[in-house]
Amino acid sequence: LDLGVSSGRSSIAMAEPGEGYDYDLFVIGGGSGGLAAAKAANDLGAKVAVADFVKPSPAGTTWGLGGTCVNVGCIPKKLMHISSLYRDTQCDAHGMGWDTKSSHSWE
């Protein structure tokens, strides 16, 4: 068994040909890096499995594949940050001659 790559929380182990494993690649960690590695290996014809586990928070929050960044970290934060600045951006655009008649409701 060749431990080819270890990045962040994901560990990637590649099986040597003919070793009799069920999978060519078994990725531990379903975050962005683990899923990217699994997809790349699958695209090259490897038989791939991904394992991930999220310990529920005290409030009971869990999520599926994608990791912290995608589900509760970077991506949602960026979405909310950009959304919060959008109205100011519309006002700036109006001052430069753009017609900004769009509206938004969180309901």
Side-chain angles (χ1 to χ4, degrees):
L1 186 64
D2 175 28
L3 297 178
V5 179
S6 180
S7 172
R9 289 184 170 171
S10 296
S11 297
I12 301 171
M14 290 292 295
E16 295 296 328
E19 287 188 15
Y21 290 101
D22 293 334
Y23 297 98
D24 300 312
L25 175 67
F26 187 83
V27 181
I28 301 171
S32 302
L35 292 179
K39 183 179 181 330
N42 180 265
D43 289 348
L44 293 171
K47 187 175 177 184
V48 180
V50 177
D52 194 30
F53 174 76
V54 176
K55 183 178 178 182
S57 72
T61 304
T62 62
W63 56 85
L65 293 175
T68 300
C69 185
V70 171
N71 290 292
V72 294
C74 308
I75 305 302
K77 179 193 75 173
K78 288 176 184 175
L79 174 65
M80 297 306 292
H81 178 72
I82 291 169
S83 298
S84 71
L85 298 176
Y86 189 70
R87 184 65 189 146
D88 289 337
T89 303
Q90 278 188 312
C91 291
D92 292 343
H94 182 72
M96 294 181 215
W98 288 86
D99 184 15
T100 59
K101 294 183 180 177
S102 64
S103 64
H104 174 73
S105 171
W106 288 104
E107 295 179 12

